[in-house]
């Protein structure tokens, strides 16, 4: 079955630095979604990418969907303490778009 | 309500007991999903409802797990004869349901189930 893998599992970042987290799928995805879960909170939808090679920005966050639609990345610039949390990518199963396969997430901690 | 609500927020039960977890989706949301999230992992799909119809239950681990949404709004996930391996965070999500591929899922706060 489809698997969505995320690396790294943990990301320790100095405040003000940039970092990137990666998401890879074993199969081609119709779209990729990113969620953020704050400590003790629940997953909150951030963005969805649909087109091959698509790039979307949300303030300091840049999301990219690979040309082959099998991988995605999230790049955060000038990390702030508000960026703390776990970032999940999720892709739908091919024939059932409602059914999302989530990666294990990248947990981000920030050193002030 | 403003968001998806779930109750109880915490449930501690003894092995062998039945538990019922409730989800109240965002008003007007047609689609409802149940997920299970283990510590350090992403949510794992359990089942999906479109209105009151259970369209997909392929993620339910075994026949001790069942779910219903009789009036197309509130949903209940029931686990019979609980086992310690059932301990996890159970999350509910809802979406408008007008387009699967672009349909944002809104998650509830979850029910933390602990089976002793």
């Amino acid at each position: 079955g489809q698997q969505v893998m995320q690396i790294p599992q943990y990301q320790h970042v100095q405040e003000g630095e940039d970092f990137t987290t990666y998401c890879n799928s074993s199969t081609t995805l119709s779209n990729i979604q990113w969620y953020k879960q704050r400590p003790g909170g629940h997953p909150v939808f951030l963005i969805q990418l649909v087109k091959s090679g698509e790039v979307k920005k949300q303030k300091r966050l840049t999301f990219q969907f690979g040309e082959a639609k099998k991988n995605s990345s999230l790049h955060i610039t000038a990390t702030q303490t508000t960026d703390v949390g776990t970032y999940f990518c999720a892709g739908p199963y091919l024939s059932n778009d409602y059914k999302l396969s989530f990666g294990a997430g990248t947990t981000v901690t920030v050193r002030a | 309500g403003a968001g998806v609500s779930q109750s109880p927020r915490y449930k501690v039960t003894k092995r062998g007991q039945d538990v019922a977890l409730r989800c109240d989706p965002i008003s007007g949301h047609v689609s409802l999903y149940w997920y299970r999230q283990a510590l350090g992992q992403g949510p794992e799909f359990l089942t999906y409802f479109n209105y009151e119809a259970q369209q997909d239950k392929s993620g339910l681990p075994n026949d001790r797990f069942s779910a219903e949404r009789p009036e197309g709004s509130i949903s209940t996930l029931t686990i019979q004869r609980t086992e310690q391996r059932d301990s996890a965070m159970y999350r509910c999500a809802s979406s408008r349901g007008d387009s699967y591929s672009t349909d944002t899922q809104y998650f509830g706060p979850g029910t933390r189930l602990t089976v002793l």
Side-chain angles (χ1 to χ4, degrees), chain A residues 9-10 30-31 33 35 37 40-45 48 50 88 93 96-105, chain B residues 9 33 35 37 40-45 48 55-56 58-59 91 100-110:
Chain A
Q9 185 176 2
Y10 299 98
S30 59
N31 66 80
Q33 300 177 26
Y35 291 77
Q37 184 171 343
H42 57 274
V44 175
F45 176 83
Q48 179 179 251
V50 179
F88 295 102
Y93 286 81
N96 297 296
D97 280 347
Y98 57 81
K99 188 173 173 181
L100 292 178
S101 174
F102 280 80
Chain B
R9 294 292 306 277
Y33 316 78
Y35 291 86
Q37 187 173 13
Q41 297 295 319
E44 176 190 11
F45 173 86
Y48 159 71
Q55 303 278 13
D56 187 336
S58 62
R91 296 196 186 276
Y100 294 145
S101 64
T102 59
D103 213 17
T104 299
Q105 295 188 25
Y106 297 85
F107 281 81

Side-chain angles (χ1 to χ4, degrees), chain B residues 1-114:
Chain B
V4 178
S5 60
Q6 293 185 244
S7 61
R9 294 292 306 277
Y10 302 90
K11 177 69 177 178
V12 180
T13 190
K14 292 183 178 180
R15 187 177 52 190
Q17 297 294 307
D18 299 350
V19 295
L21 312 180
R22 172 183 165 132
C23 171
D24 199 342
I26 293 172
S27 178
H29 277 195
V30 165
S31 300
L32 186 145
Y33 316 78
W34 282 98
Y35 291 86
R36 180 168 65 177
Q37 187 173 13
L39 204 60
Q41 297 295 319
E44 176 190 11
F45 173 86
L46 294 178
T47 186
Y48 159 71
F49 288 85
N50 185 43
Y51 293 98
E52 72 281 358
Q54 189 174 22
Q55 303 278 13
D56 187 336
K57 55 181 181 179
S58 62
L60 295 178
N62 50 61
D63 59 9
R64 295 187 296 107
F65 288 73
S66 63
E68 62 175 9
R69 193 186 185 197
E71 297 180 0
S73 179
I74 293 168
S75 176
T76 303
L77 177 70
T78 302
I79 308 173
Q80 296 179 311
R81 305 180 302 282
T82 52
E83 300 178 5
Q84 288 185 328
R85 59 177 173 161
D86 299 333
S87 296
M89 177 72 81
Y90 289 84
R91 296 196 186 276
C92 173
S94 71
S95 67
R96 290 187 308 180
D98 49 10
S99 173
Y100 294 145
S101 64
T102 59
D103 213 17
T104 299
Q105 295 188 25
Y106 297 85
F107 281 81
T111 295
R112 170 73 67 186
L113 174 66
T114 302

